[in-house]
Amino acid sequence: MSKLLVFGHQNPDTDAIASAYGWAYLERHAFGRDAEAVALGTPNEETAFALDYFGLEAPRVVTSAKAEGVSQVILTDHNECQQSISDIRDLEVVAVIDHHRVANFETANPLYMRLEPVGSASSIVYRAAKENKVQLPKEVAGLLLSGLISDTLLLKSPTTHASDPQVAKELADIAGVDLEAYGLELLKAGTNLSSKSAAELIDIDAKTFELNGNNVRVAQVNTVDIADVLKRQEELEAAISEAIVSEGYSDFVLMITDILNSNSEILALGSHLDKVEAAFDIKLEQNHAFLAGAVSRKKQVVPQLTESFNA
C-alpha cells in the first residue's frame, strides 16, 4: 500500500486534528503502514493550545491529496464529501473513523469503517489503540484527551457516551494531567474571540450539511459571555450574508455556546427561517433566539434541522 494521508474535516476542530494524528500513529505502529496526519485548515486557538501544551507540531495543511501524489486516504471525524478534501471524489477512501451521521457517502471498493455514537472520534482512536496493544506516548494521549474534552465540553455535552468518562480518565493518567484543571484551561483557550474578524469567527468551527437539496451551513463558537458576542451582531450578519452569497448556502445558523452555563443563542439568516424556527419551536427575534441547554451541534441542532427541512 502506498502512502496514506489521514485527516479530519475542513475547518478542523481539536477532535479532527487529534483523531487524525492518533489514527496515523496507530497506522504506523500497529499496522505498519506509511501514514501521515495532515489538516484541511489551520488549527484554531483551542487546538493550538493543546498542541503547544504537549509539545507537538501542527499537522501541515493540504488542499489536494492528488497534488501530494497520494491516491488513498483515511477520514477521521467526518464522512460527508462536502466537509472533506477538495478532490475527495477522485480518491480511494480506505478507512473512516467517525462518530457522526453518515450521508452522501459511497465507495467503489470495500473499506474499513469504524462508526460509533460516542463523544469524539478521539475516543474511538484510543479504544482501537488499546485493542491493538499500542502504548500511546504521553503527547499523543494528551492530544486525544483534548479532542474528547473539546467535543464533549469536558464531558458535559449530551453527546458524551457512557464510556467517555473512563476513556478521559485513562488518557489523563497517561498524559499526566488533571482532567478537570486541564480541561477548563483547554476550553477557555478557545473562547478568545475578540481578536477575530466576523468572517473568521463564523468560520472557526463550521460545517455544511445537505438538507433536502439545500446547503445549510451550521457554525459554532464557544464563549463565556454570549452577550459579548451578540454585541457584534451587525458585523456577524454582514459576514454571514456575504458567505451565503459567495458559497451558495441556502441558510446559515450560528450557534453561540456558553461553555460555563451550557446554553446557546442561535443567529440565523437565509431563505428558510421558518424551517429553523420550526426545528426548535422558537420565534426568531432580530434573527436570533435562545436555546436553553443546547451545546451540541451534532445532537441538538443538526438532527432537528434535518427533520424540519425534510418535513
Side-chain angles (χ1 to χ4, degrees):
M1 182 177 283
S2 58
K3 181 178 180 178
L4 296 165
L5 290 185
V6 187
F7 48 79
H9 51 75
Q10 296 172 18
N11 298 311
D13 56 13
T14 304
D15 190 38
I17 297 291
S19 57
Y21 196 100
W23 195 265
Y25 184 90
L26 197 59
E27 285 287 334
R28 295 192 301 271
H29 291 84
F31 311 134
R33 293 193 278 261
D34 182 12
E36 179 190 1
V38 295
L40 304 188
T42 304
N44 60 34
E45 289 185 356
E46 179 190 89
T47 311
F49 173 87
L51 290 165
D52 181 67
Y53 191 99
F54 292 106
L56 295 171
E57 290 188 12
R60 62 192 184 91
V61 176
V62 302
T63 57
S64 164
K66 294 180 74 176
E68 300 281 327
V70 172
S71 61
Q72 296 178 315
V73 297
I74 294 175
L75 313 184
T76 71
D77 200 32
H78 76 295
N79 64 78
E80 298 188 46
C81 293
Q82 71 273 14
Q83 297 173 11
S84 201
I85 200 163
S86 61
D87 52 353
I88 187 64
R89 297 187 185 278
D90 300 323
L91 305 170
E92 181 184 1
V93 178
V94 299
V96 176
I97 314 302
D98 195 14
H99 67 130
H100 295 95
R101 72 174 194 173
V102 177
N104 64 38
F105 181 80
E106 62 180 65
T107 62
N109 300 311
L111 74 161
Y112 177 83
M113 294 190 76
R114 185 153 181 169
L115 309 175
E116 300 179 17
V118 294
S120 68
S122 294
S123 305
I124 302 171
V125 175
Y126 173 64
R127 280 200 296 277
K130 287 184 68 176
E131 291 163 9
N132 286 278
K133 297 180 172 53
V134 173
Q135 283 289 112
L136 296 175
K138 173 181 178 178
E139 60 273 17
V140 176
L143 193 58
L144 291 174
L145 174 65
S146 302
L148 173 54
I149 289 170
S150 176
D151 260 25
T152 63
L153 292 180
L154 195 48
L155 306 174
K156 294 177 182 177
S157 168
T159 59
T160 305
H161 188 263
S163 64
D164 286 324
Q166 182 62 30
V167 169
K169 180 184 182 302
E170 293 179 17
L171 285 171
D173 288 344
I174 299 170
V177 298
D178 179 271
L179 175 60
E180 293 293 327
Y182 172 73
L184 195 55
E185 273 192 90
L186 175 74
L187 292 177
K188 285 186 175 179
T191 64
N192 180 22
L193 307 177
S194 59
S195 62
K196 290 180 168 54
S197 68
E200 290 172 326
L201 196 150
I202 66 169
D203 207 39
I204 290 174
D205 182 6
K207 295 181 179 179
T208 303
F209 298 90
E210 186 180 326
L211 306 181
N212 198 19
N214 300 283
N215 284 328
V216 179
R217 189 74 159 172
V218 184
Q220 184 172 25
V221 295
N222 291 336
T223 183
V224 292
D225 188 350
I226 289 176
D228 194 49
V229 179
L230 280 177
K231 289 177 183 177
R232 303 177 63 182
Q233 182 175 347
E234 185 175 346
E235 60 177 307
L236 287 171
E237 288 189 359
I240 289 171
S241 296
E242 183 176 339
I244 286 174
V245 173
S246 63
E247 301 299 328
Y249 305 132
S250 69
D251 298 86
F252 197 117
V253 177
L254 173 65
M255 290 180 69
I256 306 167
T257 300
D258 182 340
I259 64 170
L260 298 181
N261 297 304
S262 299
N263 295 306
S264 291
E265 190 87 12
I266 62 165
L267 177 63
L269 295 176
S271 304
H272 304 88
L273 294 185
D274 58 326
K275 298 286 190 182
V276 175
E277 291 179 328
F280 309 108
D281 192 23
I282 55 164
K283 179 66 177 175
L284 292 167
E285 300 288 349
Q286 295 182 318
N287 297 325
H288 65 90
F290 184 67
L291 295 184
V295 295
S296 170
R297 172 175 53 198
K298 181 179 76 172
K299 192 167 185 177
Q300 295 172 298
V301 173
V302 174
Q304 290 80 355
L305 286 172
T306 302
E307 182 178 356
S308 183
F309 271 76
N310 287 335

